């Protein structure tokens, strides 16, 4: 009798598993299909400009490119050799799927999105949530949680900052509505609204009132430290759930009645007591609307509310658009309205509580009728993988901006929406396009060449350099020692992040909004790589290093050179490079010393820190 329920349960579980696998298979098939449609459309658009796309790149360059983009590391020499020997016509699609399924995918892109979210933090204490936010994002990407779910969780987050990583976005800006409104628009819609905080946007159609109507979704967020002096006690919560604020209106009313001893509904200075009497003249300056030298109950409430709003992170029951002509005043009561008319969402009551407002904002942002949510994500990932976006800069989009090959962006964005904002679908689709897999072509400065006709070489991110460097050196188990004694490394330990990776982000980090072709290296970065004692130690031709093992296994210098090039640059050396290398070994006299110099040169080459 007990077997029947178990059998039914197992059959049901098997069916669910089958549905899940079928859905995943359908998503993969759709990604490849849309990739083909992208290439057909892009080829037609390029033909109109009389441009012939470049051929597909070779296996070595493709493998290095896709490994860096989906896992953050260069492939091993074994990976390169096996891939080259593989005769399967679908091997590129297979390796794309394998890398998307690896934990390295979430590690790379969780770190990337942590930087996107925290790069414009307005509170220096934001370092407290860095490691928690990154760990949470890594988990979301590896579990392939949908982008709309990730956005909703970040915007509606509550809880302990140290224990709840998704509070990072709110904590980074102390819950301030104006800062959050600007960042939510930038991160999730690719639209810069911050200019409209003080005036109508100078180059876009957004009005100042629209910006503050967006901020009006977010006033009831409280960011407080529960225990004074304890940096681990910061809490993000709704004002509605904060007992110290929930009954604030009642407390103000009770306080006013207690002070208004003659019960005339007006509070004079002679009736006030304690701190209120001491500050009474100053309160009159900002709250005495009728200038009768007394405070009505409404004026008294307004003065108390203004005092609360002037304390960052305290939260407020309602939102008031500041009066630029009278900054000391409370401003104009403003109700939440979403600024993109196409986006469909719920109609809010004026007395809606915090979570109702924040969820409503997320409904508008993630609505399939809001074109900018899908476009912003697709444009950003396309730019990161191909070196140039449809819109540049990637987070300054909008109806007044002109996109390059907008039809291609629309095709990808529509597919993203139809696949329920499946994050890996976007990476899979882009990676399967011929546009992504093309060769690099030398640009002729005399003639305009439209984008996406060939691959664009781009500088690696700090994470890609860091993880690839130590894969090449074989120092995966000794990363913590890399930043020992270094200020950046010590800061990394205080934030809970990998000290070495944090140090690299401090040295090689860049503005993620900057166009890729404007990213260049600098002297400190070059000196860091050339003079690092860890790098110097790990490229020795003696002891337990990768170079030492190559020299022991390969007695022939040409074979050793091939192994070193595969290890560092993920490709075979050219005949010219082999001849130069062999000549240098002969010239130096010491085989070990010569190969140390050669490996150091390759690690410090532009090719190593670039994606080709």
């Amino acid at each position: 009798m007990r077997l029947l329920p178990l059998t039914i349960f197992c059959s049901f579980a098997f069916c669910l598993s089958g549905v899940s696998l079928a859905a995943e298979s359908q998503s993969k098939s759709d990604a490849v299909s849309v990739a083909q449609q992208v290439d057909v459309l892009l080829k037609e658009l390029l033909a109109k400009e009389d441009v012939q796309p470049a051929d597909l790149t070779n296996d070595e360059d493709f493998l290095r490119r896709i490994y860096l983009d989906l896992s953050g590391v260069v492939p091993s020499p074994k990976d390169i050799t096996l891939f080259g020997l593989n005769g399967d016509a679908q091997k590129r699609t297979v390796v794309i799927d394998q890398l998307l399924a690896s934990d390295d995918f979430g590690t790379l892109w969780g770190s990337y999105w942590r930087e996107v979210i925290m790069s414009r933090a307005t509170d220096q204490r934001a370092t407290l949530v860095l490691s928690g936010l990154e760990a949470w994002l890594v988990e979301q990407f590896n579990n392939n949680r949908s982008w709309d779910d990730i956005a909703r969780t970040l915007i509606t987050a509550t809880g302990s900052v140290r224990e709840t990583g998704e509070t990072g976005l709110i904590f980074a800006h102390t819950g301030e509505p104006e800062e959050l409104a600007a960042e939510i628009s930038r991160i999730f819609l690719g639209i810069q609204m911050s200019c409209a905080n003080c005036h109508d946007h100078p180059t876009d159609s957004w009005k100042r009132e629209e910006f503050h109507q967006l901020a009006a979704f977010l006033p009831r967020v409280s960011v407080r430290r529960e225990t004074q002096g304890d940096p681990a006690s910061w809490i993000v919560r709704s004002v509605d759930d904060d007992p110290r604020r929930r009954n604030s209106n009642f407390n103000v009313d009770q306080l006013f009645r207690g002070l208004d001893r003659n019960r005339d509904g007006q509070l004079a200075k002679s009736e006030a007591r304690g701190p209120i009497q001491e500050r009474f003249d100053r309160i009159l300056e900002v709250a005495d609307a009728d200038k009768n030298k007394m405070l009505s109950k409404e004026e008294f409430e307004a003065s108390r509310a203004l005092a609360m709003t002037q304390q960052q992170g305290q939260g407020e029951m309602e939102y008031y658009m500041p009066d630029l002509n009278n900054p000391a005043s409370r401003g104009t009561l403003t109700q939440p309205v979403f600024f993109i008319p196409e986006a469909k969402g719920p109609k809010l009551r004026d007395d809606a509580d915090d979570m109702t407002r924040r969820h409503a904002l997320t409904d508008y942002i993630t609505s399939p009728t809001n074109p900018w949510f899908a476009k912003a994500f697709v444009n950003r990932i396309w730019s990161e993988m191909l070196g140039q976006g449809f819109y540049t800069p990637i987070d300054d989009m909008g109806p007044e901006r002109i996109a390059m090959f907008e039809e291609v962006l629309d095709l990808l964005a529509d597919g993203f929406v139809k696949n329920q904002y499946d994050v890996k679908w976007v990476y899979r689709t882009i990676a399967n396009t011929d546009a992504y897999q093309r060769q690099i072509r030398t640009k002729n400065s005399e003639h305009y060449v439209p984008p996406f006709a060939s691959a664009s070489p781009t500088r690696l991110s700090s994470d890609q350099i860091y993880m690839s460097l130590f894969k090449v050196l074989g120092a995966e188990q000794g990363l913590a020692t890399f930043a020992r004694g270094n200020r950046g490394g010590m800061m990394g330990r205080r934030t809970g992040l990998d000290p070495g990776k944090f140090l690299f982000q401090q040295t090689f980090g860049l503005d993620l909004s900057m166009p890729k072709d404007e990213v260049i290296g600098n002297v400190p970065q070059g000196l860091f790589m050339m003079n690092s004692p860890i790098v110097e130690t790990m490229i020795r031709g003696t002891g337990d290093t990768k170079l030492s093992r190559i020299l022991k296994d390969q007695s022939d210098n040409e074979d050793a050179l091939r192994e070193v090039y595969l290890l560092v640059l993920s490709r075979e050396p050219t005949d010219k490079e082999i001849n130069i290398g062999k000549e240098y070994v002969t010239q130096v006299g010491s085989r070990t010393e010569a190969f140390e110099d050669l490996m150091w040169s390759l690690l410090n080459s532009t090719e190593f820190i670039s994606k080709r």
Side-chain angles (χ1 to χ4, degrees):
M1 295 294 293
R2 295 179 178 228
L3 291 176
L4 183 59
L6 180 60
T7 303
I8 294 173
F9 172 78
C10 290
S11 298
F12 181 66
F14 178 79
C15 288
L16 287 179
S17 175
V19 170
S20 176
L21 289 173
E24 182 179 0
S25 176
Q26 176 62 36
S27 175
K28 291 180 179 179
S29 175
D30 183 69
V32 173
S33 174
V34 173
Q36 293 169 346
Q37 295 174 48
V38 165
D39 287 323
V40 170
L41 179 56
L42 190 54
K43 191 172 183 179
E44 292 174 354
L45 294 170
L46 289 170
K48 291 179 180 179
E49 302 200 32
D50 197 27
V51 173
Q52 179 66 33
D55 294 333
L56 298 186
T57 192
N58 61 42
D59 282 348
E60 289 177 342
D61 286 351
F62 166 77
L63 197 66
R64 185 177 188 271
R65 189 182 300 175
I66 198 65
Y67 261 75
L68 285 167
D69 278 335
L70 297 187
S71 68
V73 296
V74 292
S76 68
K78 181 180 178 181
D79 293 326
I80 299 165
T81 301
L82 292 177
F83 190 75
L85 295 173
N86 188 346
D88 184 359
Q90 302 301 316
K91 64 182 181 181
R92 294 192 178 192
T93 296
V94 171
V95 78
I96 290 167
D97 290 342
Q98 290 173 343
L99 292 172
L100 285 171
S102 73
D103 288 344
D104 287 340
F105 171 75
T107 299
L108 173 66
W109 288 99
S111 176
Y112 170 85
W113 280 100
R114 185 264 299 164
E115 183 62 20
V116 171
I117 292 167
M118 303 300 287
S119 62
R120 302 190 183 184
T122 52
D123 192 324
Q124 292 183 344
R125 294 168 298 196
T127 54
L128 294 172
V129 78
L130 286 179
S131 62
L133 174 61
E134 181 170 321
W136 180 81
L137 286 166
V138 168
E139 182 181 7
Q140 308 315 301
F141 277 90
N142 277 334
N143 291 336
N144 200 27
R145 192 177 180 193
S146 65
W147 185 236
D148 58 327
D149 280 349
I150 292 174
R152 183 175 299 278
T153 303
L154 287 165
I155 293 170
T156 63
T158 59
S160 165
V161 168
R162 275 291 176 88
E163 297 173 3
T164 316
E166 55 265 41
T167 59
L169 173 60
I170 294 174
F171 184 65
H173 304 283
T174 328
E176 288 300 294
E178 294 89 348
E179 299 293 346
L180 285 175
E183 281 298 276
I184 287 171
S185 178
R186 180 185 71 86
I187 293 167
F188 298 113
L189 302 176
I191 292 174
Q192 296 279 1
M193 284 284 285
S194 56
C195 281
N197 188 351
C198 300
H199 48 74
D200 292 345
H201 201 291
T203 58
D204 282 316
S205 60
W206 317 124
K207 305 299 182 185
R208 180 169 182 260
E209 183 181 18
E210 290 177 305
F211 174 84
H212 289 283
Q213 287 173 335
L214 178 63
F217 282 96
L218 301 160
R220 300 187 177 195
V221 182
S222 167
V223 179
R224 288 177 177 272
R225 189 162 54 187
E226 297 296 288
T227 304
Q228 193 64 28
D230 180 5
S233 68
W234 286 97
I235 301 287
V236 174
R237 57 158 45 114
S238 297
V239 168
D240 309 285
D241 298 328
D242 189 340
R244 288 174 290 188
R245 296 300 311 275
R246 188 170 53 224
N247 299 319
S248 61
N249 287 343
F250 170 79
N251 293 336
V252 171
D253 183 62
Q254 187 179 52
L255 177 61
F256 184 85
R257 288 202 308 271
L259 293 173
D260 183 20
R261 283 172 284 180
N262 63 9
R263 299 294 185 266
D264 65 349
Q266 296 285 334
L267 183 63
K269 185 174 183 178
S270 58
E271 294 175 298
R273 297 190 297 273
I276 294 177
Q277 187 179 54
E278 295 172 6
R279 302 186 183 119
F280 197 83
D281 292 337
R282 187 174 178 184
I283 295 172
L284 285 176
E285 290 177 6
V286 298
D288 184 16
D290 56 12
K291 306 301 180 184
N292 66 350
K293 305 297 183 182
M294 293 189 291
L295 295 173
S296 66
K297 178 174 172 292
E298 291 74 18
E299 291 170 339
F300 185 70
E301 287 177 347
S303 70
R304 298 283 291 177
L306 181 62
M308 295 299 286
T309 58
Q310 289 175 341
Q311 299 179 56
Q312 280 196 333
Q314 299 302 300
E316 182 54 67
M317 298 304 293
E318 298 298 342
Y319 183 80
Y320 294 84
M321 182 171 72
D323 183 347
L324 299 181
N325 295 320
N326 185 12
S329 70
R330 193 176 193 185
T332 303
L333 177 65
T334 304
Q335 298 300 335
V337 179
F338 196 61
F339 67 103
I340 297 175
E342 306 99 305
K344 305 301 181 186
K347 184 174 177 59
L348 286 173
R349 291 173 42 163
D350 290 350
D351 61 350
D353 63 17
D354 170 54
M355 293 310 275
T356 301
R357 293 190 187 199
R358 283 199 272 167
H359 276 288
L361 173 59
T362 312
D363 288 341
Y364 280 108
I365 287 173
T366 64
S367 170
T369 63
N370 179 2
W372 300 105
F373 181 66
K375 284 185 178 182
F377 187 85
V378 169
N379 184 59
R380 181 179 285 275
I381 304 308
W382 180 278
S383 176
E384 288 298 323
M385 294 181 69
L386 274 81
Q388 187 171 2
F390 301 97
Y391 286 91
T392 302
I394 53 177
D395 52 9
D396 194 8
M397 301 165 58
E400 279 77 27
R401 300 290 187 266
I402 298 175
M404 295 180 291
F405 301 121
E406 189 169 14
E407 300 95 326
V408 179
L409 174 59
D410 288 341
L411 176 59
L412 288 165
D414 289 346
F416 189 31
V417 174
K418 290 175 183 175
N419 281 273
Q420 288 77 52
Y421 301 116
D422 181 335
V423 166
K424 289 187 179 180
W425 181 92
V426 174
Y427 290 91
R428 180 176 286 113
T429 303
I430 294 173
N432 273 287
T433 63
D434 289 349
Y436 174 76
Q437 298 182 25
R438 295 199 184 284
Q439 296 175 358
I440 292 173
R441 179 186 283 169
T442 302
K443 292 185 178 180
N444 188 335
S445 59
E446 296 180 0
H447 302 285
Y448 167 72
V449 178
F452 319 139
S454 61
S456 298
T458 57
R459 190 178 180 84
L460 301 184
S461 70
S462 64
D463 284 358
Q464 289 169 328
I465 297 172
Y466 176 67
M467 292 189 285
S468 294
L469 179 63
F470 283 100
K471 184 171 182 179
V472 168
L473 296 177
E476 289 88 346
Q477 304 305 316
L479 299 185
T481 63
F482 184 77
R484 183 175 296 162
N486 183 283
R487 183 173 178 270
M490 290 186 286
M491 287 177 63
R493 281 187 285 275
R494 285 200 295 271
T495 64
L497 295 172
D498 177 324
K501 183 159 73 169
F502 189 83
L503 172 59
F504 262 69
Q505 288 171 349
Q506 298 299 302
T507 306
F508 292 91
L510 50 90
D511 183 352
L512 296 178
S513 301
M514 182 184 297
K516 298 298 179 185
D517 58 1
E518 295 181 12
V519 177
I520 58 175
N522 55 44
V523 173
Q525 292 171 357
L527 293 175
F528 182 90
M529 288 288 288
M530 289 187 287
N531 298 325
S532 167
I534 296 296
V535 173
E536 183 179 345
T537 299
M538 295 305 297
I539 62 172
R540 288 176 181 167
T542 57
D544 186 23
T545 66
K546 285 200 173 182
L547 179 59
S548 175
R549 291 193 288 273
I550 288 173
L551 295 179
K552 288 176 183 177
D553 294 340
Q554 307 294 340
S555 57
D556 182 82
N557 286 339
E558 181 172 328
D559 291 338
L561 280 167
R562 293 184 186 279
E563 287 295 318
V564 170
Y565 268 80
L566 275 176
L567 175 65
V568 180
L569 300 183
S570 307
R571 65 171 177 83
E572 290 273 358
T574 64
D575 290 342
K576 182 178 180 180
E577 288 168 332
I578 289 175
N579 291 332
I580 291 173
K582 290 166 67 175
E583 289 174 5
Y584 185 72
V585 174
T586 302
Q587 177 184 338
V588 172
S590 167
R591 184 176 191 239
T592 300
E593 183 181 339
F595 270 91
E596 288 175 349
D597 292 344
L598 287 167
M599 189 166 179
W600 181 90
S601 298
L602 295 182
L603 284 171
N604 281 282
S605 68
T606 301
E607 184 174 353
F608 178 72
I609 59 173
S610 300
K611 186 175 66 175
R612 60 175 190 270

